[in-house]
Amino acid sequence: MIQEATRIQKVSEYYFSGKLKEISALRQQGRDIINLGIGSPDLSPDPIAIETLAGAAKMPSSHGYQSYIGVPELRDAIAGYMKKHYGQHFDPNTEILPLIGSKEGIMHITMAFVNPGDKVLVPNPGYPTYTSVTRLAEAEPVQYLLDESNAWNIDIAYLEKLPLDEIKLMWVNYPNMPTGAKGSRKDFEKLIALARKHHFLIVNDNPYGQLHEGTQFSIFQIEGAREVCLELNSLSKSHNMAGWRIGWLSGEFDYIRMVLRVKSNMDSGMFLPVQKAAAKMLQMNADWYEKLRGVYASRRKVAQLIMQTLGCSFQADQQGMFVWGKVPDSVKDVTVWTDEILEKAMVFITPGFIFGTAGNRYIRISLCSSEDILEEALRRIQNMETK
Ligand SMILES: Cc1ncc(COP(=O)(O)O)c(C=O)c1O
C-alpha cells in the first residue's frame, strides 16, 4: 500500500460525496428519498443554450483543445454581463478569466497567492471548500465568525483585533451561502480599507447573484476594490448550468495573470460548444431572470413552511437558493435529528455543521426541487411530526 501525501490527511471526503452515496444506497433499497440537500438546480438553461451546444458540437472544428483563456466570444459576453448587471467595466482580453466552475477557481487562486504556512481568513459558517483547499495548500485557515445577531455580516470590529498583517487572503461570499445574507456595503468599504492597509487579497465568491430582485451585488461596486479584490462568478446557479462547469474570475490584469500561470498548467481549456452556449446564456434578457426568480420565490414559501413545521426560526428575506433556519432548543443533536428526518420522512435536509461550528444549531433546505416535491416533503414532515 502506498502512503497518501500528508496534505490530504488534513481533509476528508466532501460531506455530500459521502451522503449522496448513502442516499443512492437507500434508493436502491426502494426507498423514495426526497433530497433537499445539495444546491444543484433541477431547472434547465434556456433552450438556446442546448441548441447552441448541439449546433457547435456538429462542427468538425469544435473538438480540439481550446485556449486557456476561453474564446473571445465568451470573454466578450462575460464583460458585457459584468457591465449590464453590476455596472462594472472589465477588459475582456485581460481582466476576465473563464473557469471550469468557481470551485476550481478557489483552488487556482489559492495556488497562485498562498504559500505553505500562510494564513487565510475563511467564513464560519461558510462553503467548506475554502477551508479544505487552504489545507491542501498546506496553509492555515483562520476562521471569522458570522453570527445571526449581526445579520450574518462580517464583524469588522472583531477583524480589526486580529493580526491582519499575517493574513494573505480572505474568502468572502455575498450573497452568502448558507445563511442567505446579502451583506452590508458599509462593512465592505471598511473591509477593503483593512485589506489595503494590511496588504491581503479579498476574493468575493459570488455564484448566487440573479436569484433575488433588485440591485445585483459585486464587490467591485465598492470604491478601491480593484486594488485588493478578485471576484468569482458562476453560471451554475444563476443560469441552471451546474453540470456544465462554467464560471469566471474577474479582476485586475496583474492578478488574473498570476491565476492563469496556475490554471494553464492544470487544464487545457473548456469544450468549445459549452463556451458558446454560456456566451448565449449570459445575454439573456430581464424576463428570463424574472421567471427564474419567480420559481424560487414560490419554492421558498413552501420551504419556509417546512422550516415552520420543524419548529425552526429563519429570516424571511434571505437571498440565494436555500432557506437557512435555526433548530428549536429541544433538538439535542442536529445531525441525529436530520438523520431521523431522513429515516422517518425520507427527506434529506443538510445539517448546518458542515459549514462550520457556527452552523451547528442550523439546517439548510435547498430550493432545487419543484414545488410539488417540496410540498410532498412538507406533507411527509407534517405526518412525521404527528406520529
Ligand atoms: C458559495 C459557493 N461557492 C462556489 C460553489 C461552486 O460553484 P461552481 O459550480 O461554480 O463550481 C458553490 C456551490 O455550491 C457555492 O455554494
Side-chain angles (χ1 to χ4, degrees):
M1 186 71 186
I2 312 293
Q3 189 68 37
E4 81 241 22
T6 47
R7 79 175 67 82
I8 74 155
Q9 290 166 359
K10 293 184 188 146
V11 296
S12 37
E13 187 182 348
Y14 196 49
Y15 172 81
F16 282 115
S17 165
K19 203 71 198 176
L20 290 177
K21 279 184 217 155
E22 204 180 309
I23 290 172
S24 151
L26 287 170
R27 283 180 173 153
Q28 270 169 21
Q29 290 164 21
R31 304 192 67 191
D32 172 26
I33 307 293
I34 295 180
N35 182 357
L36 304 183
I38 206 157
S40 177
D42 58 316
L43 302 167
S44 302
D46 190 86
I48 186 109
I50 323 285
E51 284 155 23
T52 307
L53 176 92
K58 286 181 190 148
M59 306 292 287
S61 55
S62 289
H63 305 284
Y65 287 124
Q66 293 299 317
S67 151
Y68 298 107
I69 56 166
V71 290
E73 188 181 334
L74 175 61
R75 280 185 277 111
D76 285 346
I78 294 172
Y81 182 92
M82 292 300 288
K83 182 77 191 146
K84 181 170 163 191
H85 296 280
Y86 301 119
Q88 298 302 308
H89 172 76
F90 286 93
D91 182 334
N93 295 319
T94 56
E95 295 179 322
I96 299 284
L97 180 62
L99 297 170
I100 306 172
S102 45
K103 197 172 187 180
E104 75 136 11
I106 296 169
M107 182 52 130
H108 296 332
I109 292 166
T110 303
M111 295 302 279
F113 293 98
V114 175
N115 286 315
D118 278 353
K119 292 186 176 160
V120 175
L121 278 167
V122 295
N124 175 6
Y127 185 48
T129 300
Y130 311 136
T131 299
S132 47
V133 164
T134 303
R135 291 206 173 113
L136 284 173
E138 300 181 70
E140 189 187 329
V142 177
Q143 296 182 352
Y144 63 95
L145 290 183
L146 305 177
D147 196 85
E148 189 164 0
S149 63
N150 189 30
W152 304 106
N153 287 324
I154 299 165
D155 182 348
I156 301 291
Y158 170 78
L159 280 188
E160 280 171 337
K161 287 187 207 123
L162 295 179
L164 289 178
D165 289 332
E166 294 175 10
I167 300 296
K168 186 68 191 289
L169 187 152
M170 177 178 185
W171 291 102
V172 170
N173 161 226
Y174 289 94
N176 186 257
M177 195 292 298
T179 69
K182 66 176 194 294
S184 142
R185 281 179 189 255
K186 274 214 165 62
D187 288 345
F188 293 130
E189 282 165 17
K190 289 180 194 159
L191 185 62
I192 285 167
L194 284 179
R196 291 171 67 155
K197 181 169 169 203
H198 296 281
H199 304 288
F200 61 89
L201 181 70
I202 298 169
V203 185
N204 185 41
D205 182 19
N206 191 6
Y208 292 99
Q210 295 300 356
L211 303 182
H212 60 272
E213 298 291 337
T215 317
Q216 302 298 313
F217 172 72
S218 161
I219 200 148
F220 294 114
Q221 292 159 348
I222 311 292
E223 213 183 307
R226 296 212 181 202
E227 203 182 299
V228 287
C229 296
L230 287 172
E231 189 164 74
L232 286 166
N233 247 286
S234 171
L235 285 93
S236 292
K237 326 281 181 177
S238 53
H239 299 82
N240 301 329
M241 296 174 86
W244 295 57
R245 310 307 303 132
I246 190 152
W248 71 89
L249 179 68
S250 30
E252 291 281 290
F253 174 48
D254 285 339
Y255 290 145
I256 294 287
R257 205 164 42 172
M258 292 174 201
V259 178
L260 182 61
R261 283 215 325 254
V262 177
K263 183 176 160 61
S264 56
N265 281 292
M266 294 266 171
D267 67 67
S268 300
M270 270 177 289
F271 188 39
L272 181 64
V274 169
Q275 297 191 51
K276 285 182 169 288
K280 284 280 190 305
M281 284 306 295
L282 290 169
Q283 295 170 67
M284 296 313 291
N285 60 27
D287 294 350
W288 194 85
Y289 296 107
E290 221 165 275
K291 202 167 149 208
L292 185 70
R293 286 176 204 136
V295 171
Y296 282 117
S298 310
R299 292 178 176 187
R300 184 173 290 283
K301 286 189 189 136
V302 188
Q304 288 176 339
L305 287 175
I306 296 176
M307 281 289 184
Q308 278 166 2
T309 307
L310 289 168
C312 297
S313 56
F314 56 89
Q315 297 293 317
D317 61 349
Q318 294 176 21
Q319 299 188 347
M321 53 165 49
F322 304 98
V323 180
W324 176 247
K326 188 169 193 182
V327 305
D329 292 343
S330 56
V331 172
K332 285 203 182 62
D333 183 318
V334 178
T335 314
V336 170
W337 192 54
T338 52
D339 279 345
E340 216 172 273
I341 297 169
L342 177 60
E343 177 57 35
K344 290 188 187 162
M346 293 193 288
V347 175
F348 173 63
I349 292 173
T350 308
F353 84 90
I354 73 157
F355 306 108
T357 50
N360 279 351
R361 298 298 302 166
Y362 293 82
I363 55 171
R364 191 194 76 172
I365 296 177
S366 161
L367 304 179
C368 296
S369 297
S370 70
E371 242 180 290
D372 283 352
I373 293 176
L374 284 163
E375 273 162 7
E376 170 61 15
L378 174 63
R379 270 191 295 278
R380 289 185 189 182
I381 286 170
Q382 283 166 338
N383 288 338
M384 178 192 81
E385 291 298 293
T386 53
K387 260 180 207 160

